[in-house]
C-alpha cells in the first residue's frame, strides 16, 4: 500500500471527519516548521506528510481510492473510478487525477491566513514580531588557534517551546571553524539561537573572538612581536637566537650587528596569517631589551676601555 496515511494521522481506518480534524490539528501544531527551529528539515518533512494524509483521508473520493488501491493507485496519473464509487458517497465517477493540496493552505484553514506564524509560546501570530536584542559572548582563543585555525564545539542551553507550547530547556552543540588570521573582535553569528519568548523572534547568538595572552609572542595587527632580553656582551658581540613558532617549528636567527637601544630585527612572512589571504603572513619583529651589568670591577672597566679604544692617557 505504500504510505500508511491512517498511521501518520494516528487514527483508525474507520475514523470520522471529526477524528481526522482533531488529529491533524494536534500533529500540525506539533510538527509545524516554525515550532521546530532546531530540527527544521525533519519537521518540514513530517508536516508535509501529515498534511498529505489529512488531504487524502478528509476527501471522500481520495480516501475511497486510497482504501482500494493504496498510495500508488491514488497517485497514478489517471485512474478510472469504478462504477460503484458514485452511489451515496459524494464521489464523482469518471476519470480521476490526484492533485494534492498545499500544506500551508490546509494549515491556514485551521489556524488562519498564510501571513500567520508561531510565537515562541506555541501560539500563532503575525510575522511582524519584534526580534530580541543579540546576545554576545566571549570566544577566547589561544594565539596558536588563531595562527593555525581549528574547530571548537560550544555547548549552549536555551529555552524553546515544547509540543504544547510550554517552555523547556534544550542543549545544543554549535561548531565554530576558526579561520587562520582571525583577530580579536571577530564576530561569529548563529541566527536565532537565543531563547524563545512569547511574541518575540529569538535573538541571534554572537561569539566575539578574544585573544588569550601568550607568554612569548604579542600580536600587533598581522605582525608578531617578541621582546628578547640580551646581555650587553651579546649586544656588542652577536648572538644566535632560537625561537619555537606558533606552529611548532624551530627558528634560528643569527644577530651579527651591534644591537643598539631601539634596534628591531624583522623576519618577513613569520607573522600571523592574513585571514583574507591565508597564504600571506605578516612579519615577526624581535625587539631587544639590553641588560646592563649592575657593577664592574676596576679591571673590567680597564679592559673595556682598552677594547673600545678609550684607554687612559
Amino acid at each position: 500500500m505504500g504510505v500508511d496515511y491512517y498511521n501518520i494521522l494516528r487514527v483508525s481506518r474507520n475514523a470520522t471527519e471529526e477524528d481526522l480534524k482533531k488529529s491533524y490539528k494536534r500533529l500540525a501544531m506539533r510538527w509545524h516548521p516554525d515550532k521546530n527551529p532546531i530540527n527544521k528539515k525533519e519537521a518540514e518533512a513530517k508536516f508535509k506528510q501529515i498534511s498529505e494524509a489529512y488531504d487524502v483521508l478528509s476527501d471522500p473520493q481520495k480516501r475511497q481510492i486510497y482504501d482500494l488501491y493504496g498510495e500508488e493507485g491514488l497517485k497514478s496519473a489517471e485512474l478510472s473510478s469504478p462504477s460503484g464509487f458514485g452511489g451515496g458517497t459524494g464521489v464523482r465517477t469518471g476519470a480521476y487525477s490526484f492533485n494534492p493540496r498545499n500544506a500551508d493552505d490546509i494549515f491556514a484553514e485551521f489556524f488562519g491566513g498564510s501571513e500567520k506564524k508561531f510565537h515562541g509560546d506555541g501560539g500563532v501570530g503575525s510575522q511582524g514580531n519584534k526580534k530580541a536584542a543579540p546576545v554576545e559572548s566571549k570566544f577566547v582563543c589561544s594565539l596558536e588557534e588563531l595562527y593555525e585555525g581549528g574547530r571548537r564545539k560550544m555547548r549552549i542551553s536555551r529555552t524553546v517551546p515544547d509540543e504544547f507550547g510550554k517552555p523547556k530547556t534544550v542543549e545544543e552543540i554549535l561548531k565554530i571553524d576558526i579561520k587562520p588570521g582571525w583577530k580579536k573582535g571577530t564576530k561569529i553569528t548563529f541566527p536565532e539561537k537565543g531563547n524563545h519568548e512569547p511574541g518575540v523572534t529569538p535573538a541571534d547568538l554572537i561569539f566575539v573572538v578574544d585573544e588569550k595572552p601568550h607568554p612569548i609572542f604579542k600580536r600587533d595587527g598581522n605582525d608578531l612581536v617578541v621582546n628578547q632580553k640580551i646581555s650587553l656582551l651579546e649586544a656588542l658581540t652577536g648572538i644566535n637566537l632560537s625561537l619555537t613558532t606558533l606552529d611548532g617549528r624551530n627558528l634560528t636567527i643569527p644577530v651579527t650587528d651591534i644591537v643598539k637601544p631601539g634596534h628591531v630585527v624583522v623576519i618577513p612572512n613569520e607573522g600571523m596569517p592574513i585571514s583574507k589571504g591565508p597564504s600571506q603572513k605578516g612579519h615577526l619583529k624581535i625587539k631587544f631589551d639590553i641588560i646592563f651589568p649592575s657593577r664592574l670591577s676596576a679591571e673590567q672597566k680597564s679592559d673595556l676601555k682598552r677594547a673600545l679604544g678609550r684607554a687612559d692617557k
Side-chain angles (χ1 to χ4, degrees), residues 175-304:
K175 296 178 182 178
I176 299 178
D177 289 317
I178 303 169
K179 294 182 179 179
W182 271 1
K183 296 179 180 179
K184 181 177 180 178
T186 298
K187 294 184 177 182
I188 307 101
T189 302
F190 290 88
E192 298 185 11
K193 286 296 183 181
N195 292 329
H196 286 231
E197 298 177 5
V200 180
T201 301
D204 293 343
L205 181 58
I206 301 175
F207 290 97
V208 184
V209 172
D210 196 12
E211 293 179 7
K212 188 185 297 183
H214 194 276
I216 298 174
F217 297 97
K218 184 178 180 182
R219 187 173 186 174
D220 181 16
N222 294 321
D223 296 333
L224 288 172
V225 179
V226 173
N227 289 309
Q228 180 70 43
K229 290 184 178 182
I230 60 173
S231 68
L232 178 58
L233 178 62
E234 291 168 332
L236 294 172
T237 62
I239 185 177
N240 284 326
L241 298 177
S242 293
L243 283 176
T244 301
T245 62
L246 292 171
D247 57 353
R249 293 175 293 114
N250 292 318
L251 284 183
T252 300
I253 305 159
V255 181
T256 56
D257 294 333
I258 293 176
V259 177
K260 301 175 183 178
H263 183 72
V264 177
V265 172
V266 178
I267 304 171
N269 299 316
E270 286 293 350
M272 291 296 292
I274 298 173
S275 59
K276 293 183 179 180
S279 61
Q280 299 176 315
K281 293 181 181 178
H283 303 320
L284 172 61
K285 297 180 178 179
I286 302 174
K287 296 182 178 181
F288 295 93
D289 183 10
I290 303 171
I291 308 300
F292 284 78
S294 58
R295 58 180 296 275
L296 289 173
S297 67
E299 183 180 354
Q300 288 172 324
K301 290 178 182 178
S302 178
D303 290 341
L304 276 173

Side-chain angles (χ1 to χ4, degrees), residues 8-267:
I8 289 172
L9 276 187
R10 302 288 190 267
V11 295
S12 65
R13 298 189 70 83
N14 59 356
T16 64
E17 183 179 354
E18 194 60 33
D19 294 333
L20 297 173
K21 288 182 177 179
K22 184 177 179 181
S23 184
Y24 170 80
K25 288 175 70 174
R26 176 175 57 84
L27 293 171
M29 284 289 288
R30 176 179 178 182
W31 288 107
H32 194 285
D34 287 345
K35 279 198 67 181
N36 294 271
I38 296 176
N39 301 309
K40 195 161 187 174
K41 287 186 178 180
E42 178 188 4
E44 286 174 348
K46 290 193 176 185
F47 180 70
K48 185 177 180 180
Q49 205 173 39
I50 290 163
S51 301
E52 184 175 300
Y54 177 78
D55 176 40
V56 170
L57 299 182
S58 64
D59 184 294
Q61 183 182 19
K62 292 177 183 177
R63 182 173 180 176
Q64 214 164 3
I65 295 173
Y66 171 74
D67 286 343
L68 282 176
Y69 299 104
E71 182 198 9
E72 290 184 4
L74 177 73
K75 292 183 177 180
S76 61
E78 285 193 355
L79 182 68
S80 295
S81 301
S83 59
F85 271 30
T89 65
V91 180
R92 299 185 303 274
T93 59
Y96 164 79
S97 180
F98 178 66
N99 293 304
R101 296 172 62 199
N102 182 277
D104 291 331
D105 290 344
I106 297 173
F107 185 83
E109 287 183 7
F110 284 87
F111 301 105
S114 59
E115 74 280 358
K116 302 293 181 180
K117 185 179 180 181
F118 280 102
H119 286 318
D121 59 359
V124 182
S126 70
Q127 287 186 342
N129 293 341
K130 180 181 177 182
K131 187 166 185 174
V135 178
E136 292 193 356
S137 180
K138 278 189 177 182
F139 182 58
V140 181
C141 299
S142 68
L143 204 52
E144 286 87 351
E145 287 178 306
L146 297 175
Y147 184 91
E148 295 190 88
R151 170 172 284 190
R152 291 265 294 277
K153 294 180 180 180
M154 305 293 290
R155 184 186 298 273
I156 66 167
S157 60
R158 61 195 185 111
T159 303
V160 300
D162 63 13
E163 60 188 88
F164 302 107
K166 296 181 179 180
K168 67 175 181 179
T169 300
V170 296
E171 288 193 342
E172 188 173 351
I173 301 295
L174 302 179
K175 296 178 182 178
I176 299 178
D177 289 317
I178 303 169
K179 294 182 179 179
W182 271 1
K183 296 179 180 179
K184 181 177 180 178
T186 298
K187 294 184 177 182
I188 307 101
T189 302
F190 290 88
E192 298 185 11
K193 286 296 183 181
N195 292 329
H196 286 231
E197 298 177 5
V200 180
T201 301
D204 293 343
L205 181 58
I206 301 175
F207 290 97
V208 184
V209 172
D210 196 12
E211 293 179 7
K212 188 185 297 183
H214 194 276
I216 298 174
F217 297 97
K218 184 178 180 182
R219 187 173 186 174
D220 181 16
N222 294 321
D223 296 333
L224 288 172
V225 179
V226 173
N227 289 309
Q228 180 70 43
K229 290 184 178 182
I230 60 173
S231 68
L232 178 58
L233 178 62
E234 291 168 332
L236 294 172
T237 62
I239 185 177
N240 284 326
L241 298 177
S242 293
L243 283 176
T244 301
T245 62
L246 292 171
D247 57 353
R249 293 175 293 114
N250 292 318
L251 284 183
T252 300
I253 305 159
V255 181
T256 56
D257 294 333
I258 293 176
V259 177
K260 301 175 183 178
H263 183 72
V264 177
V265 172
V266 178
I267 304 171

